[in-house]
Amino acid sequence: MSTAEITRAEYCVAACADIFTGAGEIMASPMATNPLIGARLARLTTEPDLLITDGEALILADTPAVGKVGAIEGWMPFRKVFDVVASGRRHVVMGANQIDRYGNQNLSAFGPLQQPTRQMFGVRGAPGNTINHPTSYWVGNHTKRVFCEQVDIVAGVGFDKVDERNPAYDDLNIHRVVTNLGVFDFGGPGHTMRALSLHPGVTAEQVAENTGFPISDLDSAPVTAAPTDEQLRLIREVLDPKSLRDREVRS
Amino acid sequence: MAAKTDKTSSLDDVVAELRDGMTIGIGGWGSRRKPMALVRAIARSDVKDLTVVTYGGADLGLLCAAGKVKRAYYGFVSLDAAPFYDPWFAKARTSGAIEAREMDEGMVKCGLEAAAARLPFLPIRAGLGSAVTEFWGDELKTIESPYPDADGRTQTLIAMPALKLDAAFVHLDLADAHGNAAYTGVDPYFDDLYLAAAERRYVEADQIVSTEELVSSVERERLIVNRMNVDRVVHAPNGAHFTFAGGYGRDNAFLKHYAASAADDESWTAFRTRFLDVDEATYQNEVTKWQAEQEEAK
């Protein structure tokens, strides 16, 4: 397979798999298609001990294609998920309607808190996820509207909220942000967003134009690593034969 | 020998026990196993100014549509299928019609656990640093741990107040007349916890069977509700419609119809007249007819 044939979505899936590098025996909770394929790809390659679920209450023993279920190895109803959250043995990849440069995330509503202009889901598990265990974000459409100067409502907690005198904040870890344009973390000055890599064909200018705040290391960011032949085979033949990944990210 | 109390009741019996201004908890999760027959009965009653505690879906949406909600305590409101956002909850929020006490999902569980254990609060890390504290204003306090960490620092945590419920409503797949009940799906959600946190406890069930049949038809681990925590049992076949329950799936077509009907006064009046201003038996009949109409239109 030549690099030219690799789609943008496949770069995204490989980058989502890399989110879990080193995660070990924890519960992976990806909330959208690309990170879901990514978590399963990580389990089939670097992280065989990851726990993955069917999106409902069953822990999967196998690593089936997206949308498929197979043998199970356990039971994880919603009530137990909150115990896992509190234990820290989880890494979630959430979506976001807004993210700021410190990693604050909003999926609650736009506008004023008690009378918003647009209502979304509410804060969901974001406050508890971010304060308890590693949290990453997946954004399929990287725009200024999402990557904004200030989020309207802080659902997921960002690094500027950390009170170092209070050990309850010690586990806050906004690990990574993967978008259709590149891969980012919060290793910039004062825990601000930094570019780790840009996908092939994406320019620093393009990212800057689509982001409402400065991103560190944008000009020096390398090109996102291509998925290996083995990763491509697993993505295409095993995990996502129907190419659902391409519906989330077009090339 | 005296017999155990028969708690079977009608939807009207239950609604007659409700009062304006009550705090009610609704079991299930999003669009999963919601006690919709009870929700519909409350929506068409005269009760008003309710405070609702829920992992929300169309339960909260319908009560907002009916103008019953004064305040809502929730971690999210989701229909779980397209169009995902509940239109009536959105209208209530964007018009400022309800007071929102939004919180982390884990905080809902924590508050119910505190109420069930008769504790004023339980400590939790979730909520720190987030907008939850703004949503709650002065109502949400923090608590400093009496035990310092090994490094000498002290944890300050959210003191999640008990979510004490005047009444709780849940949908179980199977119950007996005394209030023992079981779920048959994959997840018990938080239904037993809602009941444990409430003064008055109401179960609607698709099937009401003898105790012998109940315990012989499911594995014992599925008997998540026992009669000690139940005051009334309502027979409500297909009562969780259009949400998922153990014996039937979510009715996505009807869910879309519900959401689309909220678009304007005319379509909502049509929906309300046909499906909400009617008793439960009529509702179920109309849903069956509506489903047949959809089939014919294909």
Side-chain angles (χ1 to χ4, degrees):
Chain A
M1 275 172 272
S2 75
T3 308
E5 293 167 341
I6 303 173
T7 67
R8 178 70 59 84
E10 286 162 346
Y11 278 92
C12 291
V13 166
C16 285
D18 192 47
I19 285 173
F20 296 100
T21 299
E25 198 159 37
I26 55 120
M27 180 172 161
S29 297
M31 300 297 182
T33 304
N34 274 257
L36 195 152
I37 303 167
R40 292 186 184 193
L41 182 60
R43 184 151 100 161
L44 290 176
T45 53
T46 58
E47 299 297 319
D49 289 327
L50 272 186
L51 275 79
I52 59 171
T53 73
D54 65 347
E56 295 285 333
L58 301 175
I59 307 173
L60 298 175
D62 298 332
T63 311
V66 272
K68 300 270 193 238
V69 288
I72 65 162
E73 61 174 314
W75 185 51
M76 184 64 69
F78 288 120
R79 190 120 146 222
K80 283 161 99 63
V81 170
F82 294 127
D83 298 332
V84 177
V85 169
S87 81
R89 287 188 288 275
R90 185 167 180 251
H91 190 147
V92 65
V93 186
M94 298 191 80
N97 296 98
Q98 294 178 322
I99 295 180
D100 73 14
R101 64 183 314 198
Y102 295 100
N104 293 288
Q105 169 253 28
N106 176 21
L107 73 166
S108 173
F110 290 140
L113 204 83
Q114 284 296 355
Q115 192 173 340
T117 52
R118 179 170 157 72
Q119 176 66 36
M120 283 95 72
F121 285 126
V123 298
R124 296 224 66 153
N129 292 343
T130 46
I131 204 82
N132 278 302
H133 59 60
T135 299
S136 293
Y137 294 109
W138 158 251
V139 176
N141 186 17
H142 187 136
T143 64
K144 259 190 172 148
R145 190 179 160 88
V146 177
F147 291 93
C148 57
E149 191 140 1
Q150 203 170 9
V151 304
D152 292 3
I153 292 171
V154 176
V157 180
F159 284 106
D160 61 335
K161 301 296 187 295
V162 170
D163 176 357
E164 285 177 0
R165 294 162 303 176
N166 183 0
Y169 285 90
D170 284 358
D171 290 327
L172 188 123
N173 176 10
I174 312 306
H175 176 69
R176 205 162 284 180
V177 179
V178 177
T179 80
N180 61 318
L181 299 184
V183 182
F184 309 87
D185 71 2
F186 294 89
H191 278 300
T192 54
M193 197 154 141
R194 169 178 77 171
L196 293 179
S197 69
L198 306 184
H199 303 325
V202 176
T203 63
E205 291 70 36
Q206 193 184 347
V207 175
E209 277 168 20
N210 287 288
T211 307
F213 49 82
I215 296 180
S216 302
D217 296 356
L218 201 49
D219 291 320
S220 56
V223 176
T224 304
T228 63
D229 286 353
E230 175 62 2
Q231 283 182 316
L232 281 175
R233 186 189 68 78
L234 290 168
I235 295 168
R236 293 172 181 178
E237 295 173 20
V238 178
L239 295 173
D240 185 27
K242 291 182 176 165
S243 293
L244 297 175
R245 60 192 179 279
D246 295 320
R247 289 191 205 166
E248 241 177 34
V249 180
R250 306 214 178 267
S251 284
Chain B
M1 197 176 75
K4 279 183 263 186
T5 306
D6 183 327
K7 296 171 185 169
T8 50
S9 309
S10 67
L11 290 168
D12 290 340
D13 292 338
V14 172
V15 169
E17 293 188 355
L18 304 183
R19 298 288 173 264
D20 295 349
M22 272 188 164
T23 297
I24 66 168
I26 304 175
W29 173 280
S31 68
R32 297 161 167 104
R33 224 177 58 231
K34 284 288 174 180
M36 295 301 283
L38 284 162
V39 167
R40 285 185 284 267
I42 297 167
R44 62 177 179 265
S45 75
D46 295 329
V47 172
K48 58 180 191 296
D49 295 332
L50 297 175
T51 291
V52 181
V53 178
T54 183
Y55 288 107
D59 54 335
L60 184 53
L62 276 176
L63 293 177
C64 286
K68 300 297 180 194
V69 185
K70 181 183 169 199
R71 185 181 296 142
Y73 289 78
Y74 61 92
F76 64 87
V77 179
S78 172
L79 298 178
D80 287 333
F84 295 100
Y85 301 141
D86 185 277
W88 286 105
F89 173 67
K91 278 179 206 228
R93 286 273 290 132
T94 55
S95 66
I98 62 168
E99 200 179 330
R101 292 280 186 271
E102 197 162 300
M103 69 189 107
D104 174 78
E105 293 165 358
M107 292 171 74
V108 179
K109 169 179 177 267
C110 188
L112 292 172
E113 283 171 342
R118 299 182 297 153
L119 294 169
F121 73 92
L122 279 169
I124 187 169
R125 207 176 283 119
L128 287 172
S130 77
V132 168
T133 52
E134 294 161 51
F135 271 104
W136 286 58
D138 293 341
E139 201 183 327
L140 192 66
K141 314 285 188 196
T142 56
I143 180 129
E144 200 171 309
S145 169
Y147 309 105
D149 279 17
D151 66 2
R153 292 180 302 160
T154 300
Q155 294 202 30
T156 298
L157 299 158
I158 298 285
M160 180 64 205
L163 293 170
K164 288 187 279 188
L165 309 175
D166 295 311
F169 304 92
V170 302
H171 182 102
L172 276 301
D173 307 309
L174 211 57
D176 70 12
H178 315 295
N180 300 301
Y183 76 104
T184 63
V186 74
D187 198 313
Y189 309 118
F190 301 80
D191 290 357
D192 52 327
L193 191 51
Y194 274 98
L195 298 176
E199 286 288 321
R200 294 288 295 172
R201 297 79 46 95
Y202 302 100
V203 172
E204 62 167 63
D206 293 302
Q207 291 184 64
I208 296 183
V209 296
S210 69
T211 305
E212 293 72 20
E213 192 179 341
L214 172 69
V215 299
S216 64
S217 53
V218 295
E219 299 96 329
R220 65 195 65 179
E221 293 80 7
R222 293 183 172 280
L223 296 163
I224 54 164
V225 170
N226 67 67
R227 60 190 167 83
M228 189 167 48
N229 275 349
V230 176
D231 294 295
R232 287 186 181 273
V233 181
V234 179
H235 185 214
N238 203 42
H241 181 269
F242 46 97
T243 70
F244 155 93
Y248 42 90
R250 186 178 55 218
D251 187 343
N252 286 338
F254 193 88
L255 181 152
K256 276 187 189 150
H257 181 54
Y258 156 72
S261 296
D264 58 59
D265 285 348
E266 197 183 337
S267 57
W268 185 249
T269 301
F271 185 92
R272 209 185 60 210
T273 306
R274 186 171 183 187
F275 297 111
L276 298 177
D277 297 342
V278 296
D279 64 20
E280 181 66 13
T282 310
Y283 171 84
Q284 294 291 348
N285 279 335
E286 289 302 318
V287 167
T288 307
K289 275 194 233 167
W290 182 86
Q291 287 164 339
E293 289 160 19
Q294 303 307 302
E295 277 304 308
E296 274 174 37
K298 273 182 189 170

